[in-house]
Amino acid sequence: MGADLPADLWKRLTGTVGLVVARRDAELVNVMAAEWAYFVNRTPLYAAVALGPQAVTRDLIAQAGGYSLTLCAQDQAELADFVGSFSLADVDKTTSELLDLGAPAVTDTPWVRGGVVALECELRHVLALPVHRLFVAEVVAAHLPTTPARPLVKHGPMHGLGPALRAGRVVVGVRRDPAGVLTVAATGPPGTGGPWHVTLLPDTAGEIPLGSHPSTAYGDLQVRIHLPPSVSLDDARVRVERDGAHPGFARLAPHRGPRTPAPAPAQGQREP
């Protein structure tokens, strides 16, 4: 692609659409849509939203010391479009009958019902970016729907999620140490829960079984195997198989990708 970045490169991001609620006082509440809304820390749980310079909500969050964030469900696409299309200076968006605000449990900021989850957040950090401003807050209360909802995601246009993908292929990586011990790591579909079968494929014809091995605590494979002596390993490969999945392969020598072309010699200079 080179150094010239496309102006819409940021639209390649995929994320859950967020509804941010901020209040200035008991009377004024604003709701806006935030495409860049994320969890950014697990313990304690932090959430962050990035807001552009045109967002009135930036000042409201700074004044109130927090906000609420609802991660939208699929059936909130029209609501997200509406609150993301108008400013507080244009209209009181809370008058829409499609907007249902819930009472806060810990903070003073209401939250939008009907999403995947709604979070009450207390502001901890504000990071000034070249254009946007990132508001990082600690989640102090969460509101979950009685029935789990499917998220509304943004990837250019808004999308709903299809069925969960089922992994169908084993993916393998290896490391060989000078003592002749091979570390094999692999991921793949759960299958029947049976063992992983590891096979060495030398550069010459034939196969050398390296045993069947159980999964780790997380259902993956990570095992150290002593390589057989007197086997040519210059172009050897490793195959890992598991019931219900396509086998995976790894090279004992890492693949470094295409070589970077050498720079052209300066005018009047001979190539080495």
Side-chain angles (χ1 to χ4, degrees):
M1 179 171 61
D4 296 329
L5 301 180
D8 63 347
L9 190 60
W10 60 272
K11 291 185 178 180
R12 303 300 192 272
L13 175 74
T14 301
T16 307
V17 180
L19 298 179
V20 180
V21 180
R23 69 183 313 154
R24 187 177 65 196
D25 49 42
E27 300 298 327
L28 183 60
V29 173
N30 189 46
V31 185
M32 67 167 291
E35 181 171 347
W36 297 341
Y38 322 88
F39 287 118
V40 293
N41 197 71
R42 186 165 61 180
T43 306
L45 185 60
Y46 276 25
V49 293
L51 305 181
Q54 75 284 359
V56 176
T57 301
R58 296 200 334 178
D59 293 334
L60 298 181
I61 290 176
Q63 294 166 14
Y67 54 87
S68 74
L69 171 64
T70 294
L71 299 180
C72 287
Q74 288 184 12
D75 58 2
Q76 292 180 310
E78 294 89 353
L79 176 61
D81 182 49
F82 171 75
V83 300
S85 298
F86 299 98
S87 168
L88 177 62
D90 300 321
V91 66
D92 182 353
K93 289 176 273 188
T94 64
T95 59
S96 171
E97 292 190 355
L98 200 59
L99 186 66
D100 185 11
L101 294 176
V106 176
T107 67
D108 294 327
T109 305
W111 47 278
V112 179
R113 298 181 187 271
V116 174
V117 64
L119 313 168
E120 297 181 43
C121 304
E122 293 182 350
L123 189 62
R124 296 290 183 257
H125 307 283
V126 179
L127 177 62
L129 304 174
V131 176
H132 286 63
R133 194 171 296 165
L134 187 69
F135 295 87
V136 182
E138 183 175 352
V139 177
V140 295
H143 305 273
L144 293 164
T146 54
T147 302
R150 298 182 67 81
L152 175 69
V153 297
K154 193 84 161 60
H155 182 76
M158 288 186 282
H159 299 267
L161 294 184
L165 296 177
R166 175 176 170 81
R169 186 178 304 277
V170 173
V171 180
V172 189
V174 297
R175 175 182 291 165
R176 179 176 50 159
D177 67 24
V181 176
L182 184 69
T183 299
V184 181
T187 57
T192 60
W196 305 77
H197 309 286
V198 183
T199 304
L200 179 66
L201 308 175
D203 56 347
T204 57
E207 300 182 353
I208 301 175
L210 297 181
S212 298
H213 306 274
S215 298
T216 63
Y218 295 101
D220 302 325
L221 172 69
Q222 185 171 352
V223 63
R224 288 168 55 84
I225 302 171
H226 287 274
L227 291 170
S230 304
V231 175
S232 176
L233 301 176
D234 290 342
D235 295 311
R237 303 161 70 214
V238 171
R239 183 181 69 219
V240 176
E241 300 169 283
R242 199 178 195 199
D243 290 344
H246 297 288
F249 298 85
R251 311 172 187 86
L252 263 64
H255 176 59
R256 298 301 185 189
R259 294 181 57 190
T260 303
Q267 187 173 1
Q269 178 182 343
R270 296 180 61 188
E271 293 192 31

